[in-house]
Amino acid sequence: MTYALTLILAGMVTGGGFYLLIRAAVPTNPQLAGALDRLSPDQSARRDATPVAPPSRRDVKERVGAVLDRRLSGRAGFTPPLKDLAVLNRTTRSYWGEKWSGAAMGFFGPIALQAINLVYPVIPITIPAVVSIGLGTYFWFYPDITIKKEATQARREVVRAAISYCQQVAIQRRASSGATSALRQAAELSDGWMFVRIREELQRAQITGIPAWDGLDQLAERTGTPELAEVGDIMRLAGDSGAGVYGTLLARSKELNDALLAAEHRESLDRAESINGPVGLLPGILVLVILYPALLTLATT
């Protein structure tokens, strides 16, 4: 019991040490309001009477994530999924924050299992250690798994948005709008999250003085969505040569829609096959359950 209590205290001290090291590594940002108050003597009483809010849990996660982003990003084996994060509109700082917080909870959580030894001294000391390492490793890689799944779903929504956007650009182009005007007006017709991203990118392109289709290409490159780049390539042809692209845009939107439907059909077939496998084993299991008493009787006689 004394040995288990010693391990618990050692784990708590170790966890506290890690927390203090991480807290010391996080740079503090000076607050402008506090600096101005310190320069103004007549505000000292008001400053003393104002309660100071402690940093929130999310702030600590973001700060540690920012430190890990500066120290680890770009190193071999620690490259974050930049395109997946971009399509989800997340930062690398939040990515590292999710990784370290999950790994810390997974690693230090099983230390509480040692408390069971105080009442039921039946758990070997190695079990919490192995569980801590396993959970810490799992939750370190868990954000990569979830981000990949979410990014795949988001890119499918991007394809749907690209189909609608392509059709709207064609309509605007048919209404004798210029290439740039057609891209901007079509992006204003929906408040979907991808249309908002397109509008922001077109505004950024306008501010920086680059063509709107180059802005779409940059967005497609960052997010790994070539469907948007195809819309930009078609409109680049219209802007450079003044060619009519109404039919080309509609044809491309139809091709994207057919490809999306084919991919969804393949996934539905894969799900059906994955379900048919376990279902096909049920008759065999039922036969074994029925014949088990007879086989048991034969074996004992």
Side-chain angles (χ1 to χ4, degrees):
M1 181 181 297
T2 304
Y3 184 59
L5 181 60
T6 302
L7 288 177
I8 294 175
L9 294 177
M12 295 175 63
V13 172
T14 304
F18 275 114
Y19 174 77
L20 293 176
L21 288 175
I22 294 174
R23 188 67 181 272
V26 176
T28 58
N29 297 322
Q31 299 294 329
L32 180 59
L36 293 177
D37 286 342
R38 287 191 293 269
L39 293 176
S40 180
D42 57 347
Q43 298 293 331
S44 59
R46 182 182 302 177
R47 182 177 66 251
D48 295 337
T50 303
V52 178
S56 64
R57 178 182 176 184
R58 186 172 185 84
D59 292 338
V60 175
K61 181 190 297 186
E62 292 287 333
R63 290 180 180 178
V64 178
V67 173
L68 294 178
D69 187 21
R70 292 194 299 269
R71 303 286 177 84
L72 298 180
S73 292
R75 295 188 178 183
F78 294 96
T79 302
L82 298 178
K83 291 187 177 181
D84 291 345
L85 293 173
V87 75
L88 295 174
N89 203 19
R90 297 182 186 177
T91 61
T92 54
R93 180 175 58 185
S94 65
Y95 166 76
W96 288 113
E98 292 292 335
K99 285 179 76 71
W100 84 262
S101 60
M105 292 179 61
F107 183 79
F108 292 108
I111 294 178
L113 292 177
Q114 288 288 356
I116 301 177
N117 283 333
L118 298 177
V119 182
Y120 303 103
V122 295
I123 299 178
I125 300 173
T126 56
I127 291 180
V130 173
V131 172
S132 296
I133 296 174
L135 288 180
T137 303
Y138 173 76
F139 284 111
W140 173 264
F141 292 102
Y142 183 74
D144 299 277
I145 300 173
T146 56
I147 287 174
K148 185 176 180 61
K149 292 181 179 179
E150 293 176 5
T152 300
Q153 181 62 31
R155 287 193 177 94
R156 184 167 299 172
E157 296 179 6
V158 170
V159 175
R160 295 191 181 96
I163 294 171
S164 177
Y165 184 60
C166 197
Q167 294 171 350
Q168 296 300 327
V169 172
I171 294 173
Q172 295 297 328
R173 187 63 177 168
R174 186 65 178 270
S176 300
S177 298
T180 303
S181 299
L183 290 173
R184 292 174 181 169
Q185 292 172 4
E188 297 288 341
L189 298 177
S190 175
D191 290 330
W193 66 271
M194 195 60 207
F195 279 82
V196 173
R197 297 281 297 276
I198 293 174
R199 287 201 296 267
E200 293 175 351
E201 195 63 36
L202 294 178
Q203 292 174 358
R204 187 177 297 108
Q206 183 180 8
I207 294 174
T208 56
I210 64 175
W213 39 86
D214 288 343
L216 286 180
D217 287 344
Q218 293 177 2
L219 179 60
E221 176 64 24
R222 287 199 308 271
T223 58
T225 53
E227 294 81 8
L228 287 177
E230 293 180 5
V231 179
D233 292 339
I234 295 173
M235 296 309 295
R236 179 182 291 107
L237 178 64
D240 293 340
S241 61
V245 294
Y246 173 77
T248 305
L249 288 169
L250 290 183
R252 186 53 188 155
S253 65
K254 185 178 184 303
E255 292 174 0
L256 291 175
N257 188 46
D258 293 341
L260 180 62
L261 292 176
E264 292 178 348
H265 181 65
R266 287 193 301 270
E267 288 186 1
S268 63
L269 292 178
D270 293 338
R271 292 195 189 99
E273 291 179 358
S274 63
I275 295 175
N276 289 335
V279 172
L281 296 176
L282 291 179
I285 296 174
L286 182 61
V287 171
L288 290 177
V289 171
I290 295 174
L291 296 179
Y292 178 75
L295 296 175
L296 184 61
T297 303
L298 292 175
T300 56
T301 57

